Amino acid sequence: MLGKTAGGLFWMFRFLERSENTARLVDAGFRIALTRSMAAEAEWASVVGTAGVRDGYLAKYDEFRAASVVDFLLRDRSNPSSVMSAIDSARSNARLVRTALTREVWEATNECWMAMKEVLRRPVSENDLPDVLATIRRQNALVRGALTGTMLRNDIYNFAHLGTFVERADNTARILDVKYYVLLPSVSFVGSSLDNVQWETILRSVSAQRAYRWLSDGDANPKQIANMIILDQRMPRSLAFCTGQIRENLNLLAANYGVRLACHDQAEAAEQRLLDNSIDTIFENGLHQFLSDFIVSNRALGLRIEQDYRFYG
Amino acid sequence: MSDAPDFFDELSGYDGAPRGPYADFCSWFDRQDPARLRRKSKEAEVFFRRTGITFNVYGQQEASERLIPFDIVPRIISAREWARLTRGIEQRVRAINAFLHDIYHRQEILRAGRIPVELIARNEAFLPQMIGVSPPGGIYTHIVGTDIVRTGEDDFFVLEDNARTPSGVSYMLENRETMLQMFPELFSRVPVREVGDYPKMLRRSLAACAPPACTGRPVVAVLTPGIHNSAYFEHSFLADQMGVELVEGDDLRLVDGRVAMRTTQGYTPIDVLYRRIDDDYLDPLNFNPASMLGVPGILDAYRAGQITIANAPGTGIADDKAIYSYMPDIVEFYTGEKAILKNVPTWRCSEPDSLAYVLEHLPELVVKEVHGSGGYGMLVGPAASKREIAAFADKLKSKPAAYIAQPTLALSTVPVMTRSGLAPRHVDLRPFVLVSPNRIDITPGGLTRVAMKAGSLVVNSSQGGGTKDTWVLEE
C-alpha cells in the first residue's frame, strides 16, 4: 500500500471520528443549557474548550452564547474542527484513497458529506438541533457499518482503525480533562444537583449514560465514572479500550508486514502505563496531570505511526 | 420526432420512421409511461452524485464539482456500422504508431516530402528527447480515443485522434452501469455488446508492454495530478477497476535507476506507468522545471528501459491539430491503403490563401486553436455574435499559425429526453482503442457526448455537454 494511502485512510477516519465527537459535545452542552439555563454560558465555554478551539472561537466572538457556539462547532469552515470542516476533510481524504475503499464505504462517505452540506446549509435553529445531531451520528454510523461489512481485514482496515482510535482516545481524554474538577473528591458533594448534571454531561459526551446505569450500582459516583471512562476495557470510548485497539491494529500490521517498528513499542508501553494504574492511584497522583500526560503521549504515538509507515514523502 | 430535417437523426433518419438499429428500442420506448421515464432521469442524477462521478471545472471560483448531464436515451450503432468504424479506426491507429516511430527515428515521411519539415521541427508537441528512443513493445499510443462525427447514413469523419491522454472512458462504463440498473428489462430485449471488460483489457494491454527491466509480474500504476484535477474521478476509477495503485508525483522517486513508489513498507519499483499528466509536467529535470506533478529523472529511466510510460512521451505530435490535416497522407504513407475514415476538410491558417478564405467565411466556420483542447478558445461561427466574430478575426490575424478552420459540420442528432418529450440534439462519439504489441482492441461503444442545448454543436462537458450510453448491437 502507498504511504500516502495509509495516511489518507488514517486521517479520513480521524476526521470522521472528530465530527461525531464534536456533535456529541454540542449535544451535551445543549442538554445542560436546556436544564440549567443559569450555568449555560459557562457550560458552552467548556464545550468550546473541550473541542480545543477556544482561541479560534474568541477571535470571532466575545461571549459564549448558544447560537454562536453551535454555529462555530457545527458549520463554521474557518474552524477546522467544525463538523462541516471535518466531514469535508474526511471526504477529501476518502477521494484521495478511493482505490483503497469499497464502493459502499466511498458512497457512504460521499452521502454523509452530501447530507451534511444539506442540513448545515443554514444556521441550525434550536428546534432542529436534535435532528441535525442525530443525522450526523447516523451518517457516521453508516460509514462505519459499510467499513465493517464490506472491507477486507488487511492493512487498509488497520490504518482506518488506527485513525479512529487515536482520535477517539484524544477526544475522550480532553472531555475528561476539561471536566476533571467535577470528578475530584474534594469538591464533590454527593447527590447535589449541580454535580449530577455535570456528571451526566460527561457521560453524555461519551455516550455512556446507559452503560453507566448497567455497570454501576446506579448512584452517580465520580470515581466510578472516571474508572469507567479511563480504565474499563468494555467501554468503547474509554482510554483503555482505545489504547487496546491501537495496540491490536499495530500488531496486526507488524504480523502482516513481518516488521516491528518503534511505534509498536511505543503503543505497548502506553497501554502498559495506563493499565498499571488503578483509579485510586490516578486520583492520588492527580487526574489532570494524568490526562495531560496521556494526551501528549497519544499525540506522539500518532506522529510515530505517520513516520514509521511513511505517510509523507 | 425530428423537427430539424437539415440534420441526419440517428433514430429517425430524415423521414421520421425509426431506423433499423433503433427498432427494438422504439417498440419498448413507445410502451413506457413518460412520467416514469422522467422520474428515472432524476434517479440517474442521484445515482451519479452518490457515486461521486463528478468533474471539476477549471476557471471557476470555488473548486466546484459538477455532474455531467446524463441522458437516458441510448445512442445505438448497428453491427455493420460498427464493423466499418473499427476497420477505419484500427487502420488510423496503426498509422499513428508507425508515424510516431518514424518521426522519432529516420523521418522517412519528411524525406519523402509528404509533411513539411517545419511543421515538425517547430512544433512544441515534438519532443527532441524522444529522438532515437524505442518504447517497450514498440507501442507509442497504448490508449487512443478517436473522436468521430457523423453527418449522414454512411458519412463518418474523424474529428480528432486524441493520442495523448484521452479521457471519458469512466463515463462510458458508468453510463452503462446506470442503464443496466435503471432499465434491466431493456437489455434482455436488445442484444447490446458488453463494455465492462475495458479495465481488465486495459490492464492486460499495459502489462503486455512491460519494460526490459521488469522481471516478475508487471507492476502497473496510474499517475494522476491529484484530487483537484478535472478528471480525478476517472483516474481513481480506472486504478480501482484495474486493481492497481493510483500515484501522484510525490509518491514516486528514482531508486537504483528505477521509478519506485513509496509504500508503507518502503519503495517498490513500478514497471508500467499509465500517466494522466501531460508531457510537459512529467519530468521537471527534462521538461518544465517548475512542475510539481511529475517525477524528476523519469525520462532518463524511461530511455534506459527501466519503465514503460503510457502513452509514450511525445505522442502529442500525432494528434496535433496542425498535423491533423495531413492524416490521410499519413495513413496512406504507412499502410499503403486509402484512409477508410474521412478527415474533415481543414484550412491551415498558417497558409496565406487559407487564412484569407477563413477570414472571409468566419460566420460559417469552426476555428480551433492548434494546441487547444476541451472546447476552450474555439469559435463556432454560426453560433457566434458579430462582435465575437470580429474579436476572433483580430486574434486570428495576429497569430494565424495558431489556428485551423473547418466547415461547420451538419452533425447527426440523437433524441434526448426533455420535459416536453424527445428532442434531437447533436452528438459525437469517442470510441476507446487499446494498443498492445500483438493486438488492437476497440471496446464496442464508447463515449457519446451530446450538446444539451437545442441547436448547439458544442458537445464538450466543460461547455455544458452531456453524455449518453452508447450501444453497439450484436450481429
Side-chain angles (χ1 to χ4, degrees), chain B residues 93-299:
Chain B
V93 168
R94 278 187 205 290
I96 284 174
N97 270 287
F99 168 70
L100 284 164
H101 184 267
D102 183 32
I103 213 72
Y104 287 118
H105 292 85
R106 294 181 49 80
Q107 303 196 325
E108 301 284 0
I109 196 165
L110 301 186
R111 293 171 203 221
R114 303 290 284 269
I115 293 181
V117 175
E118 65 274 12
L119 200 60
I120 303 296
R122 288 217 304 268
N123 198 316
E124 282 172 22
F126 178 78
L127 294 187
Q129 293 92 333
M130 284 297 290
I131 293 172
V133 179
S134 291
I139 307 298
Y140 285 85
T141 59
H142 309 76
I143 302 112
V144 180
T146 311
D147 281 353
I148 289 175
V149 294
R150 182 173 198 179
T151 59
E153 186 66 59
D154 286 312
D155 303 308
F156 294 91
F157 294 88
V158 175
L159 201 58
E160 279 180 36
D161 289 289
N162 298 308
R164 302 172 204 211
T165 51
S167 63
V169 76
S170 57
Y171 295 97
M172 170 183 87
L173 296 167
E174 288 291 347
N175 287 352
R176 176 61 55 82
E177 195 57 36
T178 307
M179 289 296 281
L180 280 167
Q181 286 205 11
M182 290 197 303
F183 305 112
E185 74 275 20
L186 198 42
F187 289 86
S188 56
R189 299 174 54 105
V190 187
V192 181
R193 291 182 63 187
E194 184 56 51
V195 295
D197 281 346
Y198 180 86
K200 208 170 69 194
M201 282 164 47
L202 174 60
R203 182 172 180 165
R204 193 180 57 196
S205 198
L206 291 169
C209 297
C214 170
T215 45
R217 191 165 168 257
V219 176
V220 178
V222 177
L223 175 62
T224 173
I227 63 169
H228 300 297
N229 183 266
S230 65
Y232 179 78
F233 164 73
E234 176 154 304
H235 307 160
S236 66
F237 176 87
L238 286 176
D240 188 39
Q241 295 285 309
M242 287 195 285
V244 305
E245 294 293 357
L246 177 67
V247 298
E248 292 176 42
D250 66 4
D251 296 316
L252 306 180
R253 69 151 74 142
L254 259 62
V255 178
D256 301 329
R258 302 216 58 198
V259 177
M261 55 186 168
R262 191 183 73 252
T263 76
T264 51
Q265 303 175 75
Y267 278 87
T268 306
I270 294 174
D271 297 307
V272 183
L273 191 61
Y274 175 20
R275 51 83 175 235
R276 294 293 297 258
I277 71 178
D278 293 341
D279 284 350
D280 206 23
Y281 296 101
L282 200 51
D283 184 347
L285 288 182
N286 285 285
F287 303 119
N288 180 355
S291 171
M292 307 291 285
L293 305 175
V295 188
I298 189 174
L299 198 73

Side-chain angles (χ1 to χ4, degrees), chain B residues 427-466:
Chain B
V427 294
D428 78 353
L429 174 65
R430 178 178 291 177
F432 293 93
V433 189
L434 295 173
V435 188
S436 51
N438 303 313
R439 55 193 291 174
I440 293 181
D441 293 296
I442 307 176
T443 304
L447 177 66
T448 291
R449 299 187 298 177
V450 52
M452 298 304 282
K453 268 185 277 175
S456 170
L457 293 165
V458 182
V459 297
N460 302 69
S461 53
S462 52
Q463 314 287 318

Side-chain angles (χ1 to χ4, degrees), chain A residues 36 48 108 126 142 247 284 291 305:
Chain A
R36 292 179 51 84
V48 171
E126 221 165 66
L142 289 172
R247 185 245 314 136
E284 273 161 33
L291 291 168
I305 293 171

